[in-house]
Amino acid sequence: MLACGGSRISHQNLGSRFCSTGIFHLSSFTVKPPSSAAATVAAIVDNNSHNPRFHPRFVSSSSLQSKSPGDIPFPPVSFSQREDEHEKPSEALSSVAGGIVALGKFDALHIGHRELAIQASKVGTPYLLSFVGMAEVLGWDPRPPVVAQCDRERVLSSWAPYCGNVAPKEFQVQFMSVRHLSPRQFVEKLARELGVCGVVAGENYRFGYKAAGDASELVRLCDEFGMGAYIINSVMDRHQDARNMNRLDLKDRGQVSSTRVRQALAEGDMKYVSELLGRPHRLLLTIKDWESLTSTSSTQRMSAPRSSLLNLPPKDGFYENCSLLFGEQNAVTCRVSIDTSHIHLEMDRVDFCDNDYSQKSQVLGIEFGELKS
């Protein structure tokens, strides 16, 4: 069976997962072998049934709410790097060559983004393709990221148990370099410049200049350029009916999104934020000196200006049962207060006294408990 521009997938040891109809049944993920023209998706799985119903050129995961790493099936084969149908990838951009690239806006790195990486890992080496400089090019107002830039690798590493023990890597492309590309030119860039073997995208994904291309167009173009295209259902917010957070956004159909994460942070609902992210929200701040550190017989207190924050904090207020992460030290239980100008931390002296304050600049992490009313 051909895959990724002429490389072959072995049928050995497939057992019952390869049936006479030529379909791999991989629980929540279903792949149809490529035609002689291309490796293109050909099935969609009904989320409410164990029996897949097939429609041309699409594939979806089941509920897309991954329960645990052990519940995720993985195929015995993967697509290998193309060798003969496409031009040799550029040396400067070859780190994703042969990989399966997840497409999207990966601001919050939430559970929907994680699901894209999971599906990519089932057919190859997973990557996230991120665009750099969108705000500047499009004239958006600057805003802090949900995940600090220096913390993104840690988050992606935490996805490894869900992705066949492979941590997805992030590949960044300057948005200016692709902004004016038509949908066809964008897919051609993926295939010929980057050497990508396949792409994974959500059902609402738009791409190309002025978002002219949709998921169906992505599948068609990937077919043309010999790449696999895997379109998956959105991961839905289980609390969408109760919250109705974004009724004015026509793109919001109740799916988990970075916008929902930002809104939940603005409300200070840290339990809900954790559900959307699949992990506690971690706020990072840079401490340039320790002059603000004060002590009593039982507590340590510290304050830092909001300008020291590296990513988006939650709503102003007082948070109990938080965790302070200091380098490689064990987490320290603390209380956090955020106001319009500063963030204040208080922790038990016995828990914090062993830390080294000799370095002038250090990055601290805070994972939040519940907002006190």
Side-chain angles (χ1 to χ4, degrees), residues 156-221:
L156 294 179
S157 295
S158 73
W159 293 357
Y162 299 90
C163 298
N165 293 320
V166 176
K169 294 182 179 180
E170 189 167 25
F171 183 78
Q172 295 185 333
V173 172
Q174 288 293 330
F175 179 67
M176 180 62 79
S177 70
V178 299
R179 179 189 183 187
H180 295 290
L181 297 183
S182 68
R184 188 180 190 281
Q185 289 171 327
F186 176 71
V187 174
E188 182 178 18
K189 181 181 180 72
L190 294 178
R192 293 184 173 171
E193 276 192 47
L194 304 187
V196 169
C197 190
V199 299
V200 179
E203 59 188 337
N204 299 320
Y205 181 68
R206 308 288 305 195
F207 68 105
Y209 186 54
K210 295 186 177 180
D214 61 10
S216 296
E217 180 78 350
L218 180 64
V219 170
R220 185 188 69 79
L221 290 169

Side-chain angles (χ1 to χ4, degrees), residues 107-129:
D107 177 17
L109 295 178
H110 52 62
I111 56 175
H113 296 149
R114 187 180 69 186
E115 193 63 38
L116 291 173
I118 290 171
Q119 301 303 331
S121 72
K122 291 178 179 180
V123 287
T125 303
Y127 293 89
L128 304 187
L129 184 67

Side-chain angles (χ1 to χ4, degrees), residues 60 74 102 112 167 197 253 296 353 367:
S60 72
F74 295 93
C197 190
R253 298 179 175 86
T296 66
C353 63
E367 292 183 352

Side-chain angles (χ1 to χ4, degrees), residues 60-186:
S60 72
S61 58
S62 56
S63 66
L64 298 183
Q65 299 283 1
S66 301
K67 305 296 183 183
S68 66
D71 294 336
I72 301 168
F74 295 93
V77 296
S78 64
F79 290 106
S80 60
Q81 181 176 344
R82 77 191 75 236
E83 294 177 355
D84 47 10
E85 280 197 3
H86 301 296
E87 299 172 8
K88 183 179 179 181
S90 167
E91 287 186 10
L93 300 175
S94 61
S95 63
V96 293
I100 306 297
V101 173
L103 301 173
K105 297 177 182 177
F106 300 104
D107 177 17
L109 295 178
H110 52 62
I111 56 175
H113 296 149
R114 187 180 69 186
E115 193 63 38
L116 291 173
I118 290 171
Q119 301 303 331
S121 72
K122 291 178 179 180
V123 287
T125 303
Y127 293 89
L128 304 187
L129 184 67
S130 299
F131 298 115
V132 180
M134 287 188 68
E136 294 82 356
V137 172
L138 298 176
W140 296 344
D141 291 334
R143 61 181 184 177
V146 174
V147 182
Q149 183 63 38
C150 60
D151 199 33
R152 293 177 70 85
E153 184 176 357
R154 176 193 67 85
V155 174
L156 294 179
S157 295
S158 73
W159 293 357
Y162 299 90
C163 298
N165 293 320
V166 176
K169 294 182 179 180
E170 189 167 25
F171 183 78
Q172 295 185 333
V173 172
Q174 288 293 330
F175 179 67
M176 180 62 79
S177 70
V178 299
R179 179 189 183 187
H180 295 290
L181 297 183
S182 68
R184 188 180 190 281
Q185 289 171 327
F186 176 71

